[in-house]
Amino acid sequence: MNYTFEQLLDKAARVAQQADLFIVDSEETPVHFEANRLKSLQTRQSSSVALRIIKDGRLGFAVSTRPDDNEKLLEMAVETAKFGQVVDFELPSSTAYTEVNTFDEAVLKVPTSKMVELGEKMIAAVTSRYPDVLCDGGVETAQVSARVMNSRGVDTRYRKTVMGFGVQGTWVRGTDMLFVGDDLDDCHVIDNPDEVIQNTLTQLERANKNVTVRSGDLPVIFTPSGVASAFIPALASAFNGKLVLEGASPLAKRLGEVAFDKKLSIYDDATIPMRPTSHPCDDEGVPSRRTPLIEDGRVANFYYDLKTAAKAGKQSTGNGSRGRGGAPSPSINALVVNPGTVSFDSLLADIKEGLVVEYLMGAEQGNVLGGDFSGNVLLGYKVENGKIVGRIKDTVVAGNVYKLLSNITLASDARWQGGVFTPSIFCPAVPVAAK
C-alpha cells in the first residue's frame, strides 16, 4: 500500500516519538561538449524521500527513490531504529520562514538550442585565438523542488532553479599539458558567457610561456579559485561543529579568540537571493540564517545541524544537509569572505619576485584538520617586478592555513567560486618548492 506523505508522516508519528520527511524532486538538462564538439544532450529526472524517526531515544532512517514505496520506507526506518544511534534532540516546531528567492521561471524556458549556442560560443572564442587548445565544457539548467515535513507541525517547501556554464581547455605542447578554464552559475538565466571567455583567455595569455621559479618563502597572491582550493577545505573542517565537538578542530577551544588577521571576516549565509546554495530552511526544517564564523580575525561561531548542536549544548545554525538524500550532517551553505579595498593589480605591482596561484591540485591530501596543505600548482604564474612573466610548472605550494591567514591583504576582486564568494588573498611569505 502506498501512503500520501501526510499519511506516512502520521503513521510514523504514531510508532515513534518524532519523525520528519525530506522530499526532493529534480530535473536537470545538461549539454556536454568534449574535444571542441557537442557530445551529449539529455534531460534527467530524479526523486527521493527520506524518513527519519526517533523511537525510544534511538535514530531510525530510511531513504527511497521510489515514490510508490512509502510503506516499505516506514518499515525500514522502524527496523533501523532498533539498532540506531542514541540521540537526544528535538525536531524544530512550526515557524514562519524568511522568504529566500531562488526561483526564476525563465530558466525553465531556456531552449536546448540556446544552451548549445552558448557552449559553441565559448569554445569558438577560445579556439579562434588558440587553435591547439582542446575544450570540454557544458551548459546546464536545473529545477529542484524540496519539501520538509515533521511531526511537530513543520510543512514547508521551496523551488529552486539553477543555470550554469563553463569551459575547460587543455593545451598539449610536447610533454607539457596546460589546463585552464572558468565557470559561472546562478538561479537566474545567465546568457552572457563573456566573463568566462575572458577569464579563460587571460589564463592562456599569462601561461603562454613557461618560466622557472626558485624554492623558498615567496610572496603569493591566491586568486579567488586559488583561495577556494588552498584555504577553504581546512576552514570548512575547522568550523564544523561535529569536528569541534570531537576535539579534532584546532579551533575547538578558541571560540572568541583572535586566530586570524583582523582584516579577515567570513560568514556562512543561505539567505543570499538567487544563489544555488540558498534556501529558506536547511534539510531539517531549521530556518536559514547568516552565521558569522570569523569576525575581524576572531573565531565567532561554529556551524551545526540538530544532532551535533544538541550534543554540544548549542542551537542548530541551519546547516543540516542531507546531500543526495542521506542522513543530515553539518555542512557549509555558502561561505562569504569580505573583500578588501586593494585592487589585484595593486597587489601585483608590489611584488618583486613571487607567484600568483590560480588552482592547486591535491591540497586536501595534507593534514586538513591541522590546517596544513600541500598542493601542486596546476595553474600559476611567476611575478617579477610587478608583472606576470609566465607560467610555473612542477611547483608545490605548502603551508599552514592558520599561519598564512594571520598576515594577509584582501583584494577587492571578489567573485563566486561555486559555494564560496571570495577575493584574491595576498600572503607575504609562502613555502614554495620547485624542481
Side-chain angles (χ1 to χ4, degrees):
M1 178 180 178
N2 188 41
Y3 307 129
T4 65
F5 294 131
E6 290 80 5
Q7 290 172 328
L8 175 60
L9 184 63
D10 181 64
K11 288 184 175 294
R14 292 182 185 181
V15 299
Q17 287 71 53
Q18 298 186 74
D20 69 3
L21 282 171
F22 182 62
I23 306 128
V24 178
D25 297 297
S26 65
E27 181 177 298
E28 303 170 342
T29 303
V31 175
H32 182 59
F33 292 82
E34 187 174 288
N36 299 344
R37 296 186 178 187
L38 176 65
K39 183 180 181 182
S40 64
L41 189 163
Q42 58 183 316
T43 295
R44 302 190 295 254
Q45 295 178 327
S46 65
S47 299
S48 66
V49 182
L51 171 63
R52 178 174 60 169
I53 64 172
I54 299 176
K55 180 176 172 60
D56 301 325
R58 290 186 177 272
L59 195 63
F61 180 79
V63 61
S64 175
T65 56
R66 293 179 53 188
D68 59 345
D69 206 21
N70 289 348
E71 185 176 13
K72 185 68 174 177
L73 195 69
L74 179 57
E75 292 176 5
M76 290 190 294
V78 171
E79 191 65 26
T80 58
K82 295 177 182 178
F83 314 98
Q85 185 179 1
V86 176
V87 293
D88 183 24
F89 67 88
E90 193 168 56
L91 297 175
S93 57
S94 180
T95 187
Y97 295 97
T98 301
E99 182 177 348
V100 180
N101 187 16
T102 56
F103 186 80
D104 181 359
E105 187 79 35
V107 172
L108 308 181
K109 299 176 182 178
V110 177
T112 52
S113 58
K114 177 64 175 177
M115 297 166 67
V116 172
E117 180 186 321
L118 283 170
E120 290 175 340
K121 181 178 180 179
M122 290 188 294
I123 292 171
V126 174
T127 56
S128 64
R129 292 269 300 274
Y130 297 90
D132 294 331
V133 174
L134 287 178
C135 291
D136 296 343
V139 182
E140 182 170 346
T141 59
Q143 61 172 320
V144 178
S145 173
R147 184 180 184 185
V148 183
M149 309 168 65
N150 73 26
S151 54
R152 300 195 67 214
V154 168
D155 187 356
T156 187
R157 63 185 80 194
Y158 62 88
R159 297 175 70 193
K160 181 184 298 186
T161 52
V162 179
M163 183 170 181
F165 50 68
V167 63
Q168 300 83 42
T170 304
W171 193 359
V172 180
R173 295 173 287 186
T175 59
D176 179 31
M177 294 183 70
L178 169 65
F179 301 97
V180 297
D182 194 32
D183 56 69
L184 281 177
D185 62 4
D186 203 284
C187 293
H188 283 302
V189 170
I190 45 175
D191 55 8
N192 185 351
D194 288 353
E195 181 181 349
V196 167
I197 292 170
Q198 187 54 54
N199 287 343
T200 305
L201 289 175
T202 298
Q203 292 170 5
L204 284 164
E205 181 182 344
R206 289 172 170 173
N208 201 12
K209 180 176 70 171
N210 291 334
V211 296
T212 58
V213 65
R214 68 177 176 87
S215 298
D217 287 356
L218 294 174
V220 175
I221 299 174
F222 293 89
T223 66
S225 53
V227 171
S229 58
F231 298 139
I232 297 304
L235 291 177
S237 296
F239 284 89
N240 186 317
K242 184 174 185 294
L243 297 176
V244 171
L245 181 66
E246 294 169 350
S249 167
L251 301 179
K253 296 181 179 180
R254 301 199 66 182
L255 188 64
E257 295 182 11
V258 174
F260 303 93
D261 191 305
K262 290 186 177 181
K263 295 187 289 292
L264 184 64
S265 293
I266 300 178
Y267 58 90
D268 176 76
D269 194 353
T271 68
I272 302 170
M274 304 309 288
R275 286 304 304 164
T277 54
S278 292
H279 36 245
C281 65
D282 71 0
D283 296 348
E284 299 183 288
V286 176
S288 295
R289 53 182 270 193
R290 170 176 165 157
T291 303
L293 301 177
I294 302 173
E295 286 185 317
D296 302 326
R298 181 178 59 86
V299 179
N301 292 286
F302 304 115
Y303 62 90
Y304 297 95
D305 64 351
L306 285 170
K307 184 172 68 174
T308 307
K311 288 183 177 180
K314 306 287 185 179
Q315 296 292 317
S316 170
T317 53
N319 289 83
S321 173
R322 298 176 185 255
R324 286 283 183 174
S329 61
S331 180
I332 288 291
N333 293 307
L335 276 186
V336 177
V337 181
N338 282 350
T341 58
V342 183
S343 71
F344 177 86
D345 288 341
S346 294
L347 289 178
L348 203 63
D350 289 337
I351 298 177
K352 184 176 182 181
E353 181 187 16
L355 304 181
V356 172
V357 172
E358 291 264 23
Y359 297 105
L360 278 186
M361 182 173 63
E364 295 181 49
Q365 296 176 7
N367 177 18
V368 176
L369 289 179
D372 296 327
F373 73 91
S374 177
N376 289 301
V377 180
L378 186 63
L379 181 60
Y381 323 108
K382 183 181 182 181
V383 181
E384 288 182 353
N385 299 317
K387 304 287 186 182
I388 292 175
V389 296
R391 171 202 174 207
I392 56 171
K393 288 181 57 183
D394 303 322
T395 303
V396 173
V397 171
N400 182 274
V401 167
Y402 307 106
K403 182 179 179 181
L404 293 179
L405 293 181
S406 66
N407 182 18
I408 60 173
T409 301
L410 296 154
S412 57
D413 60 346
R415 71 187 299 255
W416 285 102
Q417 293 290 319
V420 181
F421 184 76
T422 179
S424 296
I425 294 180
F426 170 77
C427 301
V430 179
V432 174
K435 283 188 178 180

